[in-house]
Amino acid sequence: MNTTGNGSRDAPLHERVAALADGMSASERMVAEFMADHPEIVVSCSAIELGTRTGTSDATVVRAAKALGYKGFRELKRSMLDVLTRQRDLAATMDDRLARVSTADNQVARVLDDTIALLGQLRRGLDTDSWQRAVDALITAPGVLTYGIGPAASLADYLRLSLTRIGVRARGGGVTGFRLADELLTLGEDEVVVVFAPIRQFREISVIVEHANTVGAKVVVVTESLGMALAPKVHAVLSTPQSTTTAASEVTAGLVLAHALTLSVAAATHDTAVDALRLVNRLRASVVGAELDVSPLPTD
């Protein structure tokens, strides 16, 4: 593999794009940014197919790959496939992250820089049509079920709590195995299931999607790697950038999207959201027996 402009032979694709995009033509840069934002699409496409997807040509795709320091599109695809395979290995992911922060003089700065870069990718690559479908579905849903496994369960729980506080009937979490059957029993027509599935399509996720389709519920998936696999089966896919090649956390993008979904729903249901939060405050005051969660310091 050729070196990039920063001298690194192993720089991940999104770093190559950031370092080298200014020296590329507009069409090459568009292709390069698309490849960095949608690795799961890149590994399954030929140069001709990717050219069609980006409204360019196979020649532009090949030129973009070479401008990014690869021998050609085939080598870029192999590199992306290696990354997608490696990110499913927790030990390998941690090893890569430790190697990355060990080269930095300031480790927290490296984490912050990588997180900022990831959020920039998220903003650039977010499909606005999918986003609007997700928001509209949540606004009109009679109820919402949130779901995630492992670290993604914390995202599901955060979204559940946030939606509940603005007056949405939300439930869910991260139950697995036989217990999931009980969770799905009450799922009804026109309800929305928000699934956080960053990398792996666990069997539970497949069952949730299938059952939701059977009962007429809508599914919104927040994912880093499963967009192409799940898109034909769900109402909306909110794709997030690759995180495992950097020091950024894999839950960062999902957390931001959960917060943004809550704000979007609250903006559309303003009075209901504000009234629900006022009720939360009144109930808190009743629980603690005061208007404040923390009593003021006594004065002399």
Side-chain angles (χ1 to χ4, degrees):
M1 187 179 295
N2 298 330
T3 58
T4 63
N6 64 5
S8 172
R9 295 176 63 86
D10 300 313
L13 180 57
H14 72 275
E15 284 193 2
R16 293 171 183 253
V17 174
L20 302 172
D22 288 344
M24 304 169 73
S25 70
S27 58
E28 289 169 356
R29 178 171 184 162
M30 180 178 65
V31 170
E33 290 179 344
F34 182 89
M35 291 190 295
D37 294 339
H38 304 283
E40 78 285 357
I41 294 177
V42 173
V43 298
S44 63
C45 283
S46 66
I48 293 175
E49 291 168 335
L50 191 57
T52 300
R53 277 182 173 269
T54 56
T56 59
S57 67
D58 57 332
T60 303
V61 171
V62 173
R63 286 198 302 270
K66 290 182 177 179
L68 292 170
Y70 299 94
K71 293 177 181 178
F73 181 60
R74 181 174 296 181
E75 184 181 57
L76 184 150
K77 281 184 63 173
R78 279 201 303 268
S79 174
M80 298 301 289
L81 184 59
D82 288 344
V83 169
L84 291 175
T85 301
R86 189 170 175 81
Q87 72 180 0
R88 287 169 170 78
D89 185 328
L90 294 178
T93 296
M94 178 58 76
D95 190 49
D96 290 344
R97 284 176 170 159
L98 292 177
R100 185 166 178 79
V101 299
S102 67
T103 62
D105 294 332
N106 187 328
Q107 293 178 348
V108 68
R110 169 68 79 184
V111 173
L112 291 172
D113 288 344
D114 283 358
T115 301
I116 291 169
L118 181 141
L119 293 178
Q121 282 185 274
L122 177 63
R123 180 174 182 177
R124 184 176 69 237
L126 189 64
D127 185 326
T128 54
D129 290 337
S130 291
W131 174 261
Q132 196 57 55
R133 285 200 303 274
V135 172
D136 290 344
L138 287 170
I139 291 171
T140 58
V144 176
L145 173 66
T146 66
Y147 189 78
I149 293 177
S154 63
L155 299 176
D157 195 53
Y158 171 76
L159 180 60
R160 176 198 59 77
L161 177 61
S162 299
L163 291 175
T164 300
R165 284 181 172 177
I166 61 169
V168 176
R169 293 185 178 275
R171 62 196 188 280
V175 297
T176 58
F178 287 155
R179 290 183 58 203
L180 179 60
D182 298 312
E183 194 78 16
L184 294 178
L185 274 178
T186 58
L187 186 64
E189 186 177 4
D190 293 327
E191 288 195 306
V192 174
V193 186
V194 182
V195 177
F196 294 89
I199 295 171
R200 296 172 178 83
Q201 187 172 344
F202 293 102
R203 183 168 180 81
E204 284 86 347
I205 293 171
S206 299
V207 171
I208 288 172
V209 172
E210 181 179 347
H211 181 67
N213 288 333
T214 299
V215 301
K218 298 180 177 70
V219 180
V220 175
V221 177
V222 181
T223 184
E224 182 174 318
S225 300
L226 304 177
M228 284 191 70
L230 293 176
K233 307 173 185 177
V234 302
H235 185 69
V237 172
L238 303 180
S239 295
T240 60
Q242 272 191 340
S243 60
T244 52
T245 57
T246 75
S249 170
E250 60 268 28
V251 302
T252 298
L255 182 63
V256 170
L257 290 181
H259 177 62
L261 283 172
T262 302
L263 289 180
S264 294
V265 173
T269 60
H270 182 276
D271 291 344
T272 299
V274 171
D275 287 345
L277 289 168
R278 284 174 177 158
L279 177 58
V280 171
N281 283 337
R282 290 198 299 271
L283 291 171
R284 283 179 169 179
S286 297
V287 170
V288 300
E291 290 300 318
L292 299 174
D293 289 338
V294 179
S295 299
L297 294 173
T299 57
D300 294 332

